Amino acid sequence: MSYEMWAEKYRPKSLNKIINQKEIVDRLQSFVKAQNVPHCIFAGPPGTGKTTAALCLARDLYGKSYREHLMELNASDERGIKIVRENVKTFARTRSIGEIPFKILILDEADNMTSDAQQALRRTMERFTETCRFIMIANYSGKIIEPLQSRCAPFRFSYMSKDDQNRYLRNIIEEENINILDEGYDAIFEVAGGDLRRATNTLQAASSMGKVIDTETVYSVIGRANPEDVNKMIKTAMKGDFLEARKQLREMIMKYGVAGSDIIKQIHTEIFRSMLPDSWKVTLSEAIGEIDFRLVQGADVEVQLSALLARLTEVGQELKRGG
């Protein structure tokens, strides 16, 4: 039995194995072909392949010994001005041994670097361009100072589409011999929203149950309520049956072990998917925001969610009266 994380086990090893991001892959492959890489910024949401693309670029460029030409710093490392002046500069100034004269330094989550460290990096990037190329990876490129952005080629990563995510997961499902229903794919996409790492981790967690993966399995392993249950609770409240809606709420909390803030987010999502008039969506959004704020301030979860259900019941009654 393998105890390896699937997100690492099935991480692409070459640029041509990366799912989606076709334009980015094409540009990076042109760098490999020319054996020349500029300084780069890989920006985009989590789980969209930024770090994977950087590692695949290095592997395709240098071959199996790519680790000898690569340095990777991430959020778990200290990356203040001292590290930039010492470790980074020491790595950057030494020439790579081999056909390609430069090395690659990957700064993962570069948007979390201190301002002083980013300022210190400016001169290092300019001075040692011939011996080192920098790949800065960030969720928010706006947090990287303008002088660094101007020195780098930008690459914008986007969330995976549902078809791309399912295509990636099918490969894992075939390799691991997993039984999954179509509704299981839908539930994983609903949870992950295009974050491939989260989708893979969710699939691995669901498969550990030893059952056929369906909607119920997915939501139970991640501690989120089934959207159908949330929608049913909202409709019950708006029909005027407050006590039954509250009973359904308590059952969801017991069944899924879901946090109050998560239920609030799901109610918010389902309200905007509903056929309610826009004016009532505005009213309910204000109410949901107020309840969410109270929960953040430490108010009792069940009391606040019951108050929200009471507001939904009032709205339902006013709609019946044509308000």
Side-chain angles (χ1 to χ4, degrees):
M1 181 182 292
S2 172
Y3 295 98
E4 193 174 359
M5 288 288 292
W6 290 354
E8 292 301 323
K9 182 178 179 181
Y10 294 100
R11 184 193 288 268
K13 301 293 192 294
S14 176
L15 288 170
N16 58 21
K17 298 293 184 183
I18 292 179
I19 300 291
N20 197 270
Q21 318 297 355
K22 186 179 184 306
E23 290 183 6
I24 291 174
V25 169
D26 288 345
R27 289 171 66 189
L28 295 180
Q29 286 178 328
S30 70
F31 295 159
V32 173
K33 187 176 180 180
Q35 295 190 334
N36 193 15
V37 180
H39 299 310
C40 302
I41 290 181
F42 291 179
T48 52
K50 301 185 297 295
T51 303
T52 296
L55 293 173
C56 287
L57 171 64
R59 188 188 291 267
D60 288 353
L61 193 61
Y62 299 110
K64 292 182 179 179
S65 61
Y66 74 102
R67 285 289 177 187
E68 298 174 12
H69 309 272
L70 179 70
M71 181 177 182
E72 187 178 0
L73 295 177
N74 56 42
S76 63
D77 301 306
E78 184 184 349
R79 292 178 303 175
I81 190 168
K82 183 179 178 182
I83 294 297
V84 172
R85 284 176 173 169
E86 295 177 3
N87 299 32
V88 171
K89 187 177 287 187
T90 300
F91 176 81
R93 62 159 49 112
T94 56
R95 183 176 293 274
S96 179
I97 299 174
E99 184 182 351
I100 299 169
F102 59 84
K103 295 179 289 188
I104 290 179
L105 196 153
I106 298 174
L107 292 169
D108 208 344
E109 298 187 36
D111 46 344
N112 290 328
M113 291 179 70
T114 64
S115 178
D116 287 343
Q118 290 190 43
Q119 293 289 352
L121 199 57
R122 294 170 58 179
R123 183 60 180 153
T124 304
M125 290 177 71
E126 279 185 349
R127 189 175 176 186
F128 302 113
T129 298
E130 291 186 5
T131 56
C132 185
R133 306 296 161 82
F134 289 77
I135 298 179
M136 308 184 73
I137 298 174
N139 291 334
Y140 306 101
S141 60
K143 291 185 178 180
I144 296 176
I145 61 174
E146 194 65 38
L148 289 184
Q149 291 191 48
S150 69
R151 289 167 169 80
C152 299
F155 293 82
R156 307 289 178 183
F157 287 71
S158 57
Y159 279 123
M160 299 289 162
S161 68
K162 187 175 181 179
D163 289 341
D164 286 329
Q165 177 185 286
N166 290 350
R167 183 156 55 93
Y168 178 79
L169 293 182
R170 283 191 192 100
N171 177 54
I172 299 175
I173 287 163
E174 289 174 6
E175 290 288 332
E176 300 292 337
N177 196 26
I178 299 169
N179 291 322
I180 183 170
L181 303 180
D182 287 344
E183 65 183 57
Y185 283 111
D186 295 338
I188 290 174
F189 185 76
E190 178 73 24
V191 167
D195 181 334
L196 211 52
R197 178 171 52 239
R198 188 174 185 186
T200 305
N201 290 336
T202 302
L203 176 66
Q204 185 170 10
S207 69
S208 67
M209 303 284 286
K211 305 175 183 177
V212 174
I213 299 176
D214 56 10
T215 302
E216 203 69 24
T217 309
V218 172
Y219 286 108
S220 64
V221 298
I222 64 164
R224 266 182 68 178
N226 189 326
E228 291 183 5
D229 291 342
V230 176
N231 198 30
K232 179 182 176 184
M233 177 188 70
I234 293 171
K235 288 181 178 178
T236 302
M238 297 192 72
K239 286 178 181 176
D241 196 343
F242 170 75
L243 293 179
E244 178 60 25
R246 186 172 177 273
K247 179 182 175 184
Q248 291 172 3
L249 169 66
R250 300 188 71 178
E251 286 176 353
M252 271 194 293
I253 293 175
M254 294 289 291
K255 181 178 180 181
Y256 297 106
V258 64
S261 58
D262 289 333
I263 288 186
I264 288 287
K265 289 176 184 176
Q266 289 189 259
I267 291 174
H268 182 263
T269 300
E270 294 303 318
I271 289 295
F272 277 89
R273 287 177 176 171
S274 70
M275 301 300 291
L276 283 171
D278 289 348
S279 58
W280 283 112
K281 288 181 181 178
V282 171
T283 301
L284 289 174
S285 292
E286 185 178 1
I288 290 169
E290 178 66 27
I291 297 298
D292 186 50
F293 176 75
R294 291 176 187 173
L295 290 181
V296 171
Q297 296 299 308
D300 183 83
V301 172
E302 191 170 336
V303 171
Q304 295 304 318
L305 288 175
S306 294
L308 181 56
L309 290 179
R311 185 69 185 113
L312 287 169
T313 303
E314 290 176 356
V315 168
Q317 297 301 310
E318 290 183 38
L319 281 172
K320 281 183 181 179
R321 292 194 296 266

